[in-house]
Amino acid sequence: MDSVFVLNGPNLNLLGLREPAIYGSDTLDDIAGMLEDRAHALGLEIDMRQSNHEGHLVDWLHEANAAGAKAVILNAAGFTHTSVALHDAIKAISVPVIEVHLSNPHRRESFRHNSFVGGAAIGTIAGFGAFSYLLALDAAARL
Ligand code: CA2
């Protein structure tokens, strides 16, 4: 069965517990549950992970490539706006990476307007809360 890695960056372990006005009230486990259900319907399996450490995300991108994953859905959170290493890792692998955000960074502070991930990803889905992840999974299924 084709697999899709769903990688989540720093502070997203706090999802649903803090700042619900910006990020919604779903926890990362809630989102994983929704993705599992949708993946089942699409005939995919998902591997959902979260880390507060940039190097873990780089290693997992390499792992997704080595495993022959169909796609990676990546919410790099704050590293989106800072990480040349993530940009380089996405460029270095052949698995397509879909950038995802809960909020729409372009409606927020100017320091969120640049994305090092978006410059390497196949596409970006942002601003739809937890639904952004489901839209990304549907896009992954159609790649
Ligand atoms: O909207 C998104 O998904 C973001 O990737 C979230 C990042 C932010 O730096 C990006 O600009 C946009 C922040 C994730 C922090 O997650 C929290 C969750 C709950 C409480 C506090 C932070």
Side-chain angles (χ1 to χ4, degrees):
M1 191 181 281
D2 282 335
S3 70
V4 175
F5 280 47
V6 185
L7 306 182
N8 296 280
N11 300 305
L12 287 167
N13 52 310
L14 300 177
L15 207 59
L17 311 175
R18 304 263 196 286
E19 302 198 68
I22 300 175
Y23 299 117
S25 52
D26 290 317
T27 65
L28 213 52
D29 282 347
D30 293 334
I31 294 174
M34 292 177 216
L35 287 172
E36 292 282 2
D37 289 347
R38 185 72 188 139
H40 186 256
L42 292 167
L44 297 169
E45 66 181 20
I46 62 157
D47 187 334
M48 175 104 164
R49 306 179 188 185
Q50 186 275 332
S51 177
N52 294 323
H53 304 278
E54 187 176 12
H56 289 165
L57 296 168
V58 171
D59 288 344
W60 292 342
L61 286 164
H62 296 176
E63 186 183 329
N65 194 51
K70 182 172 176 61
V72 173
I73 293 170
L74 174 62
N75 185 349
F79 293 142
T80 302
H81 316 297
T82 64
S83 181
V84 175
L86 283 176
H87 177 97
D88 290 344
I90 295 166
K91 288 278 199 186
I93 64 175
S94 48
V95 179
V97 174
I98 302 172
E99 177 186 28
V100 157
H101 298 287
L102 296 149
S103 65
N104 178 356
H106 295 286
R107 294 188 69 179
R108 303 180 63 193
E109 304 95 323
S110 59
F111 65 82
R112 298 184 199 277
H113 295 178
N114 179 57
S115 170
F116 286 96
V117 169
I122 190 166
T124 298
I125 299 170
F128 300 99
F131 193 51
S132 290
Y133 284 79
L134 290 171
L135 290 169
L137 188 60
D138 277 4
R142 284 160 181 74
L143 287 173

